[in-house]
Amino acid sequence: MNNFKERYANALMNTFGPPQLMLERGEGAYVWDAEGRRYLDLLGGIAVNSTGYCHPRVVSAVSQQIATLGHTSNFFTTAPQLELAERIQGIFGAEGYPADEVRTYFANSGAEANEAALKIARLHKPGGRVIALEKGFHGRTLGALSITHKPAIREPYEPLPNNVTFTPCSVEGITEAFDADVAAIFMEPIQGEAGVRPVPREVLLAARKLADEFDALLILDEVQTGIARTGRWLCHSDTVRADIVTLAKGLGSGFPIGACVGIGKAGKLFTPGSHGSTYVGNPVCTSAALATLEVLEGLLEHVAQTGEWLRHQLEGIGFAVRGRGLLLGIEVKEAKKVAAKLLEEGFIVNTPNEETIRLAPPLVITARELEPFVEVMARVVA
Ligand SMILES: *Cc1c(COP(=O)(O)O)cnc(C)c1O
């Protein structure tokens, strides 16, 4: 088993580079590799494992559902699918949206949720342009890639839909790019892949104002920030109202599920035949998401508090920290080296760039579990 890197290279396409570890099992915020070594997971499968590994509520919901009815196609609905869509209405209602005006299209991933949002933007204003932010990330499928900024991952796949304008993340930037041809403006409330960079409040507010003025949709990509990650159900809703919100990562505790949530008119532009995919809204994934939401409901305050505690600890030992709740970017020099050292010491983190360590741990993690990480970081500074 210890030749996993060689076996991997010989059997899988080389999209991700060599795997760092071969993982075997997990519990709470910890994972164990195939050699029995334990790691504290501060990345959570890239902000996905929000309930921690093998949460009993999730395990039980999924096991029961797969043993009862695993898949149906979208010619039919199921109780978990309906309940999840209604639960999402409840969450948006609690965040200040008109719950009965909320409609969900389920997807299998974050990129797919954004594909749906892009298609809705086309229906909203046929032939219209889309504005996206520099440094923004929205996924790797061709449509989602067309609004993803990083040239190194986008350019090899051109031509892409060519109706996208990238602008700096500033009020002037988006104001200059806006006109009556714009169908939608896309942004993440915190740019996760860019290194956990919060979009300033005034940019979100200006996007709302411009979208209203020019009859465009404000589409907020909360694939990484949504569903309790920042200590709130939605990261944006204390600042601004969106027309569409996309969700994925933290929604399913590891089951592939995304959601494109439309409010008002934006939730009603798809009609029968407009869009679809075989697995979407599948009963196993929607059961996993329902159990996830049940668990997270009791954790919102915990996430906010634990995130604040961790930020203060890290700032106290001299780090600059960005982000909110348990989505944090720590400024370091030579991030890859730091991450390699942390892995040796039993901590999984990731490095969206050479200046940032990103933390997006399971939301069940406690300050006590995080203390050894703070100690190691103090040594890293020294
Ligand atoms: C991860 C991510 C995506 C893509 O989601 P996938 O499930 O990997 O397709 C889109 N937007 C944001 C903000 C993300 O962090």
Side-chain angles (χ1 to χ4, degrees):
M1 278 303 156
N2 51 12
N3 62 345
F4 69 86
K5 288 189 190 185
E6 198 183 317
R7 287 171 59 203
Y8 188 97
N10 289 333
L12 282 95
M13 287 195 196
N14 190 20
T15 44
F16 302 105
Q20 298 172 49
L21 302 168
M22 184 158 128
L23 295 177
E24 198 167 84
R25 67 189 175 90
E27 195 184 318
Y30 294 98
V31 279
W32 284 261
D33 71 10
E35 277 155 17
R37 254 203 102 194
R38 188 182 84 160
Y39 299 83
L40 183 65
D41 183 4
L42 300 172
L43 181 60
I46 320 185
V48 168
N49 297 326
S50 49
T51 55
Y53 290 91
C54 303
H55 193 288
R57 303 263 282 270
V58 176
V59 171
S60 150
V62 164
S63 310
Q64 280 183 36
Q65 189 59 49
I66 192 70
T68 309
L69 183 69
H71 175 80
T72 61
S73 91
N74 283 295
F75 294 123
F76 310 98
T77 189
T78 61
Q81 184 185 69
L82 285 173
E83 276 168 38
L84 182 60
E86 289 166 356
R87 187 77 180 83
I88 288 173
Q89 287 182 319
I91 285 173
F92 276 68
E95 294 290 299
Y97 284 95
D100 56 356
E101 284 295 307
V102 171
R103 297 285 183 276
T104 294
Y105 170 81
F106 288 118
N108 300 301
S109 68
E112 274 189 27
N114 285 330
E115 291 289 335
L118 279 165
K119 278 188 158 182
I120 293 172
R122 289 269 171 113
L123 296 179
H124 173 69
K125 197 180 278 183
R129 285 192 298 125
V130 173
I131 295 177
L133 296 187
E134 288 173 5
K135 296 196 160 78
F137 181 89
H138 301 289
R140 304 276 203 151
T141 54
L142 290 175
L145 193 59
S146 75
I147 52 171
T148 289
H149 178 247
K150 198 175 182 179
I153 64 174
R154 180 166 42 84
E155 285 172 355
Y157 300 101
E158 289 177 345
L160 293 163
N162 65 354
N163 61 337
V164 179
T165 309
F166 291 103
T167 74
C169 179
S170 66
V171 174
E172 307 80 69
I174 62 172
T175 305
E176 196 160 308
F178 241 104
D179 62 29
D181 289 340
V182 174
I185 178 164
F186 261 82
M187 56 182 72
E188 303 153 85
I190 299 173
Q191 296 185 314
E193 297 308 298
V196 192
R197 305 198 157 274
V199 168
R201 193 183 149 77
E202 61 269 21
V203 174
L204 286 165
L205 293 173
R208 178 68 275 166
K209 200 162 153 271
L210 289 160
D212 286 340
E213 188 179 335
F214 292 106
D215 187 30
L217 301 177
L218 173 58
I219 303 176
L220 293 179
D221 179 343
E222 290 237 31
V223 166
Q224 188 159 157
T225 52
I227 308 298
R229 173 57 49 195
T230 65
R232 314 172 43 86
W233 281 126
L234 303 169
C235 179
H236 73 271
S237 51
D238 55 348
T239 306
V240 74
R241 294 269 161 266
D243 300 297
I244 295 179
V245 179
T246 56
L247 302 168
K249 293 194 167 92
L251 180 58
S253 292
F255 275 78
I257 183 166
C260 172
V261 182
I263 296 99
K265 184 193 168 200
K268 291 167 191 156
L269 285 166
F270 276 160
T271 50
S274 293
H275 193 43
S277 183
T278 303
Y279 294 117
V280 296
N282 157 307
V284 180
C285 294
T286 48
S287 291
L290 275 171
T292 300
L293 295 177
E294 265 173 44
V295 173
L296 296 183
E297 182 159 43
L299 284 174
L300 294 168
E301 195 53 41
H302 167 84
V303 173
Q305 279 170 8
T306 309
E308 266 316 289
W309 176 86
L310 180 57
R311 172 197 282 270
H312 278 126
Q313 296 293 311
L314 291 166
E315 286 173 349
I317 53 174
F319 287 103
V321 181
R322 296 182 301 267
R324 190 173 185 186
L326 284 171
L327 179 61
L328 297 175
I330 312 170
E331 282 180 28
V332 295
K333 293 194 190 81
E334 300 188 283
K336 289 216 161 52
K337 247 190 187 163
V338 176
K341 174 90 180 117
L342 287 168
L343 191 67
E344 265 174 40
E345 304 253 2
F347 301 94
I348 295 175
V349 298
N350 125 294
T351 57
N353 56 48
E354 254 310 82
E355 298 82 49
T356 312
I357 297 285
R358 172 174 46 183
L359 307 181
L363 302 179
V364 293
I365 202 166
T366 62
R368 200 196 188 111
E369 288 169 327
L370 284 161
E371 267 165 15
F373 170 70
V374 176
E375 279 161 31
V376 173
M377 287 304 282
R379 267 193 282 135
V380 168
V381 176

